[in-house]
Amino acid sequence: MPSVMIRRNPQGQLTFYVPKKDLEEIIVSMEHDSPEQWGGEVTLADGSIYFLEPVPEPHLPITLRAKRVSEA
């Protein structure tokens, strides 16, 4: 499970960065996106899907562990 960084870009979109692959993509959907529960399955603009353990909505940027569910 790689460590990933999630932050907001200047346009206000969530971005997903995997340092070991030097991959940065826009998050197009997230299973849970509320103050009480944030994370779950995350779909990136390239079609890849990762899983983030749901947590209360964090302050960004944040580094988390993610599990790849499928590749684009």
Side-chain angles (χ1 to χ4, degrees), residues 1-2 5 8 15 17 23-25 32-33 37 39 45 47-48 52 54 56 60 62 64 67 71-72:
M1 288 199 311
M5 178 188 277
R8 289 207 183 270
T15 62
Y17 178 66
L23 164 75
E24 185 167 20
E25 286 289 338
H32 305 288
D33 191 10
Q37 194 171 30
S48 298
L52 302 172
L60 300 177
I62 188 168
L64 301 167
K67 180 179 181 182
E71 273 188 66

Side-chain angles (χ1 to χ4, degrees), residues 47-64:
S48 298
I49 300 173
Y50 286 81
F51 180 79
L52 302 172
E53 191 65 41
V55 297
E57 187 174 38
H59 294 284
L60 300 177
I62 188 168
T63 300
L64 301 167

